[in-house]
Amino acid sequence: GTHIICDRKFLLECKSSPAARTPPCCLPQTPGVTSLAQSSLVRLEELKERNESEEAMPDQDQFEMDI
């Protein structure tokens, strides 16, 4: 068979092309595969809220030291 050989520069240029950034027009919507599942969206929102609450808390020492 024949092998198609591409150099690194060409592949990196393909990565940033406009065609590579848009999904195909006839792609079916499959939750969890081509689009985020509803449960995944809820989990993402919970993680964001948890991260925001952790950022709001001041840093605490892991161990208390008695001197």
Side-chain angles (χ1 to χ4, degrees):
T2 59
H3 293 283
I4 299 174
I5 299 173
C6 301
D7 62 345
R8 183 177 187 272
K9 180 183 174 187
F10 174 75
L11 293 174
L12 288 174
E13 289 173 1
C14 289
K15 174 184 155 184
S16 61
S17 73
R21 295 179 183 210
T22 57
C25 63
C26 301
L27 192 66
Q29 296 297 320
T30 307
V33 178
T34 58
S35 62
L36 291 176
Q38 292 297 331
S39 61
S40 296
L41 291 174
V42 171
R43 288 182 195 152
L44 285 175
E45 290 175 6
E46 289 175 357
L47 287 174
K48 287 179 185 177
E49 290 174 1
R50 187 178 304 157
N51 286 340
E52 289 172 359
S53 65
E54 288 176 1
E55 290 174 1
M57 293 175 56
D59 292 335
Q60 297 178 354
D61 293 333
Q62 186 174 1
F63 302 103
E64 292 183 16
M65 295 181 64
D66 294 331
I67 299 179

